[in-house]
């Protein structure tokens, strides 16, 4: 699996949390169960099975449940007052119920130990649990809410302090009126020292993982994480502002084919050497839909040769692609002639070729083998080679992006696949006969299918090109690649329709990559429904066939702000290395801190 796949895969941990009312109900129920279970285990208070559960449950409800609900509301308000992000009330309540559950597990475990060894460690168990949830809350606030460490550390005290305060009041009123004497001072000192030890371990851990980001990229890892979560939860594009600090301006190209009737442009087939990433709605992730919607006619935006190095850093950068296409359209010369669609193969490389006026389209795929993006330099080589070999003005290279596995790798200079692509281009017949041309189009959002099935906003777009009674279907899914083997399944399923050739492509949109998987290729689920949409689109496009003239174009895109070859690789490698190092550092650091805190609380001299 590529580094980008590993990084994108982290998004699966961003999940939809339960509604506030469910978290509150959960805290009431769980706190009652914690208290009842502990009282049932603690033989020193046994008065009867039902009575133990009820009395203990009421105690748990008052000491654990009510303070946790209060902390859920107070945490959210505190973070909001200091202009923190991401912590909505449902998030805060879920954090409180999770923290209270951790506390309950430790307290019940302490009760079991107390019962077995006939010792009383209830108070120490509660202190240890409160220190643990204090550190946990502090870590969550600091890493996700874009607040300062001291703010997160102070806010983290709210839940454990409320719980300990409620326990102190209840103990003083109903159990031991001397509890507010010297004992409470000792408990406070013990808890504070333990909290400082644990929170310093958290500070040290974050400082270690933040250093590579500051040094290599000049960005804060907590800003990156907080804004990333904001995008996943709320669709915020604030992360683009962070990308601007590490962006690099590049020059690239966009190629296209334009089909025109007497009424004007009927269809536009665009292949920009700009990558539709990185994920969600950030940068150019939804470029295939955004760019297509900028034109008033049917527009297909295929995947040109480009990798994540060419991810635009902001949605606004897509305007530069549009401007280049519009400039190119003003220069297009149209003629009513095209060649038939012909396939060529060399080793694993497969291309479908069709000549249009004084240009050509090359649809490149390695199916049934699995590969990922074709690098821009490789695409330029293919363009130069095909223009020279076939004596054409424009060569529209399309990475069909239609055969994926988790181990798929990019096609980079030096890979054997590069020479296979060059070799297969050399087999193209440059003197193909030209004929009149007809084109029919159809687009479908594919509702109710959506991102869960790997389908982006544009759904499916199909263009039928008829040349000398040969009908070729160009089928484009707004998806990020395609499960290996699904392309052939589609081809086989439409073999009885009124077409002679078909190629199935994906746009490589990264808007679908915000769900359970880092990559989310089409064809993982609901294949039968997807194929039915393909059949309908082909039939409708055939019904739309009409005579057209065709022209091609190539235009430069200047000063496109992207991640850039250096920064893109640096970001991916930095995240990957930090994740790898954290797997080692985090257990060592936190286990050591927990052991010190445990020894201090249970065996300390106070």
């Amino acid at each position: 699996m590529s580094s980008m796949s590993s990084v994108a895969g982290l998004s699966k941990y961003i999940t939809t949390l339960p509604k506030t009312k469910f978290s509150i109900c959960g805290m009431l129920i769980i706190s009652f169960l914690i208290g009842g279970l502990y009282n049932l285990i603690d033989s020193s208070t046994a008065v009867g099975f039902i009575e133990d559960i009820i009395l203990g449950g009421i105690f748990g409800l008052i000491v654990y449940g009510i303070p946790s609900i209060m902390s859920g509301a107070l945490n959210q308000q505190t973070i909001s007052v200091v202009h923190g992000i991401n912590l909505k009330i449902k998030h805060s309540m879920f954090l409180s119920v999770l923290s209270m559950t951790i506390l309950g597990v430790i307290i019940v475990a302490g009760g079991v130990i107390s019962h077995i060894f006939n010792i009383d460690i209830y108070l120490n168990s509660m202190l240890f649990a409160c220190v643990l949830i204090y550190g946990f809350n502090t870590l969550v606030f600091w890493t996700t809410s874009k607040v300062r460490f001291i703010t997160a550390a102070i806010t983290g005290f709210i839940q454990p302090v409320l719980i300990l305060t409620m326990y102190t009041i209840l103990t003083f009123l109903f159990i031991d009126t001397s509890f507010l004497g010297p004992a409470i001072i000792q408990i406070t000192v013990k808890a504070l020292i333990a909290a400082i030890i644990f929170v310093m371990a958290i500070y040290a851990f974050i400082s270690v993982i933040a250093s590579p980001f500051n040094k290599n990229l000049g960005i804060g890892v907590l800003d990156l994480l907080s804004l990333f979560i904001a995008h996943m939860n709320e669709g915020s594009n604030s992360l683009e502002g962070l990308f601007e600090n590490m962006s690099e301006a590049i020059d690239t190209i966009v190629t296209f084919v334009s089909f025109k009737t007497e009424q004007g442009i009927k269809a536009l087939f665009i292949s920009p050497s700009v990558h539709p990433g990185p994920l969600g709605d950030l940068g150019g992730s939804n470029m295939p839909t955004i760019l297509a919607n900028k034109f008033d006619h049917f527009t297909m935006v295929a995947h040109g040769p480009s990798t994540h190095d060419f991810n635009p850093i902001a949605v606004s950068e897509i305007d530069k692609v549009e401007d280049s296409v519009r400039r190119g359209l003003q220069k297009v010369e149209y003629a009513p002639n095209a060649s038939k669609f012909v396939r060529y193969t060399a080793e694993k490389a497969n291309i479908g070729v069709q000549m249009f006026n004084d240009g050509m389209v090359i649809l490149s795929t390695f199916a049934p083998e699995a590969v990922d993006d074709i690098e821009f330099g490789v695409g330029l080589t293919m363009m130069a080679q095909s223009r020279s070999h076939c004596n054409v003005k424009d060569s529209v290279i399309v990475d069909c992006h239609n055969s994926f596995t988790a181990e798929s790798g990019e096609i980079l200079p030096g890979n054997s696949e590069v020479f296979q692509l060059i070799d297969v281009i050399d087999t193209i017949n440059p003197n193909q006969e030209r004929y009149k041309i007809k084109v029919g189009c159809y687009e479908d959002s594919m509702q109710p299918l959506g991102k869960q099935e790997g389908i982006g906003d544009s759904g499916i777009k199909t263009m039928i090109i008829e040349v000398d009674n040969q009908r070729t279907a160009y089928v484009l899914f707004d998806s990020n690649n395609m499960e290996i083997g699904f392309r052939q399944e589609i081809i086989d399923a439409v073999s009885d329709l009124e077409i002679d050739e078909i190629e199935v492509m994906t746009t490589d949109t990264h808007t679908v990559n915000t769900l359970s998987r880092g990559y989310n290729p089409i064809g993982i689920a609901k294949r039968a429904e997807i194929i039915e949409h393909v059949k309908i689109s082909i039939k409708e496009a055939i019904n739309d066939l009409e005579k057209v003239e065709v022209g091609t174009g190539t235009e430069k895109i200047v000063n496109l702000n992207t991640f850039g070859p250096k920064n893109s690789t640096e970001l991916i490698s930095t995240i990957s290395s930090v994740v790898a190092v954290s797997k080692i550092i985090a257990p060592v650091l936190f286990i050591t801190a927990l052991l010190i805190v445990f020894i201090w609380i249970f065996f300390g001299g106070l």
Side-chain angles (χ1 to χ4, degrees):
M1 182 181 291
S2 68
S3 297
M4 180 54 74
S5 177
S6 301
V7 171
L10 297 176
S11 64
K12 67 184 178 181
Y13 299 109
I14 308 298
T15 58
T16 301
L17 300 180
K19 294 180 179 179
T20 301
K21 62 182 180 181
F22 294 124
S23 293
I24 292 175
C25 290
M27 280 186 274
L28 294 174
I29 294 170
I30 294 172
S31 62
F32 186 90
L33 292 175
I34 292 170
L37 185 58
Y38 183 87
N39 218 34
L40 200 62
I41 294 170
D42 185 13
S43 58
S44 65
T45 61
V47 294
F49 182 80
I50 301 298
E51 290 85 350
D52 281 342
I53 292 178
I54 293 175
L55 290 174
I58 294 173
F59 179 85
L61 196 65
I62 296 173
V63 174
Y64 315 132
I66 293 175
S68 294
I69 294 172
M70 292 171 61
S71 73
L74 290 172
N75 288 341
Q76 193 274 333
Q77 287 298 313
T78 303
I79 295 298
S80 178
V81 166
V82 296
H83 307 294
I85 63 174
N86 293 327
L87 195 70
K88 295 184 181 300
I89 188 66
K90 73 170 185 177
H91 302 137
S92 185
M93 286 296 179
F94 181 77
L95 179 62
S96 288
V97 70
L98 185 59
S99 298
M100 190 196 70
T101 302
I102 294 171
L103 179 138
V105 170
I106 294 173
I107 286 176
V108 171
V112 173
I113 295 172
S114 296
H115 181 75
I116 294 174
F117 295 100
N118 196 27
I119 56 176
D120 184 11
I121 62 170
Y122 173 79
L123 185 55
N124 283 339
S125 297
M126 178 179 281
L127 286 178
F128 181 72
C130 284
V131 170
L132 188 61
I133 66 173
Y134 164 66
F136 177 62
N137 286 350
T138 299
L139 180 63
V140 171
F141 296 144
W142 191 27
T143 56
T144 65
S145 299
K146 211 172 183 291
V147 296
R148 297 169 58 192
F149 169 70
I150 189 66
T151 302
I154 293 173
T155 309
F157 271 123
I158 293 176
Q159 186 172 9
V161 166
L162 286 175
I163 290 173
L164 289 174
T165 300
M166 190 65 75
Y167 170 76
T168 301
I169 293 172
L170 225 60
T171 301
F172 174 77
L173 292 177
F174 299 104
I175 300 174
D176 183 3
T177 55
S178 66
F179 189 70
L180 292 179
I184 196 65
I185 298 175
Q186 291 181 346
I187 291 170
T188 302
V189 172
K190 181 182 283 191
L192 281 174
I193 292 175
I196 291 171
I197 293 171
F198 195 50
V199 83
M200 284 299 100
I202 293 172
Y203 185 85
F205 171 69
I206 297 298
S207 298
V208 169
I209 67 172
S211 179
F213 284 90
N214 289 325
K215 182 179 179 181
N216 298 343
L217 300 167
I219 61 176
V221 64
L222 298 186
D223 290 340
L224 181 66
L225 180 59
S226 299
L227 295 175
F228 173 71
I229 292 173
H231 174 72
M232 301 298 290
N233 284 336
E234 305 169 14
S236 168
N237 284 348
S238 299
L239 189 56
E240 292 182 351
L242 197 64
F243 290 157
E244 288 183 16
N245 298 329
M246 49 176 285
S247 66
E248 181 176 338
I250 65 162
D251 291 349
T252 183
I253 61 173
V254 58
T255 55
F256 59 88
V257 184
S258 177
F259 303 91
K260 186 180 74 169
T261 66
E262 292 180 355
Q263 287 72 41
I265 295 177
K266 176 182 176 68
L268 195 57
F269 184 84
I270 304 174
S271 179
S273 291
V274 179
H275 194 268
L279 83 166
D281 292 318
L282 294 171
S285 297
N286 202 23
M287 180 182 68
T289 294
I290 295 173
L291 182 59
N293 289 344
K294 289 179 179 293
F295 297 92
D296 296 331
H297 34 262
F298 177 87
T299 302
M300 300 172 73
V301 180
H303 183 30
S306 59
T307 64
H308 280 271
D309 294 343
F310 283 20
N311 284 333
I313 56 97
V315 174
S316 59
E317 294 297 309
I318 299 174
D319 294 342
K320 297 177 182 178
V321 184
E322 176 198 3
D323 293 341
S324 295
V325 174
R326 292 193 183 280
R327 285 197 308 272
L329 286 172
Q330 295 175 3
K331 307 172 188 176
V332 173
E333 296 180 359
Y334 293 90
N337 66 81
S339 71
K340 292 184 177 182
F341 184 89
V342 182
R343 296 187 184 275
Y344 300 90
T345 301
E347 294 185 61
K348 295 186 294 182
N350 302 293
I351 61 174
V353 178
Q354 195 157 21
M355 307 289 184
F356 295 105
N357 196 4
D358 54 359
M360 66 188 299
V361 169
I362 296 179
L363 307 182
S364 172
T365 178
F366 282 82
E369 302 294 328
V371 296
D372 203 359
D373 300 326
I374 297 176
E375 194 262 349
F376 177 59
V378 176
L380 282 180
T381 302
M382 295 172 66
M383 292 178 197
Q385 182 79 1
S386 55
R387 285 199 303 260
S388 173
H389 178 73
C390 298
N391 193 29
V392 293
K393 180 174 69 73
D394 303 298
S395 179
V396 180
I397 305 295
V398 176
D399 174 5
C400 291
H401 221 60
N402 56 12
S403 188
F404 174 82
T405 65
E407 291 74 31
S408 300
E410 297 172 344
I411 300 177
L412 305 173
N415 293 156
S416 60
E417 288 87 355
V418 176
F419 295 96
Q420 293 172 27
L421 287 169
I422 293 173
D423 290 342
V424 75
I425 288 173
D426 285 337
T427 66
I428 297 173
N429 175 13
N431 300 312
Q432 297 182 38
E433 293 292 328
R434 305 300 179 93
Y435 306 91
K436 302 292 184 181
I437 176 175
K438 291 183 179 179
V439 165
C441 310
Y442 183 76
E443 55 185 306
D444 176 16
S445 62
M446 299 182 68
Q447 296 298 321
L449 303 179
K451 291 183 180 180
Q452 189 64 48
E453 290 77 33
I455 299 167
D457 295 338
S458 290
I460 184 175
K461 294 185 177 183
T462 297
M463 181 167 60
I464 300 294
I465 298 177
E466 181 177 307
V467 177
D468 192 33
N469 296 319
Q470 182 207 52
R471 288 177 178 171
T472 303
Y474 287 60
V475 178
L476 178 67
F477 288 105
D478 192 26
S479 305
N480 179 10
N481 221 313
M482 178 175 290
E483 273 287 278
I484 191 168
F486 189 38
R487 167 185 176 269
Q488 190 59 48
E489 187 174 333
I490 293 173
I491 292 174
D492 293 341
V494 301
S495 60
D496 59 341
L497 300 182
E498 297 177 4
I499 57 172
D500 302 287
E501 292 283 355
I502 179 175
E503 188 55 84
V504 185
M505 302 163 275
T506 68
T507 63
D508 196 26
T509 179
H510 279 54
T511 60
V512 299
N513 295 359
T514 59
L515 302 166
S516 59
R517 296 168 290 271
Y519 278 110
N520 192 24
I522 191 172
I524 291 179
K526 299 189 177 180
R527 290 191 172 191
E529 291 93 329
I530 294 169
I531 289 174
E532 190 60 32
H533 281 280
V534 175
K535 290 181 177 180
I536 293 171
S537 72
I538 290 174
K539 292 175 183 177
E540 293 294 333
I542 290 174
N543 293 335
D544 186 57
L545 281 169
E546 61 180 324
K547 293 180 180 179
V548 296
E549 293 185 336
V550 63
T552 59
T554 302
E555 197 68 24
K556 195 174 182 181
I557 305 171
V558 181
N559 289 327
L560 184 75
N561 291 310
T562 66
F563 279 59
K566 179 181 178 182
N567 291 328
S568 176
T569 304
E570 195 76 66
L571 176 63
I572 295 168
S573 61
T574 300
I575 294 176
S576 298
S577 62
V578 165
V579 170
V581 170
S582 297
K583 291 178 181 178
I584 300 173
I585 293 179
V588 172
L589 196 58
F590 289 128
I591 289 174
T592 301
L594 284 173
L595 284 174
I596 295 173
V597 168
F598 181 84
I599 293 170
W600 168 250
I601 288 177
F602 286 91
F603 304 102
L606 291 176

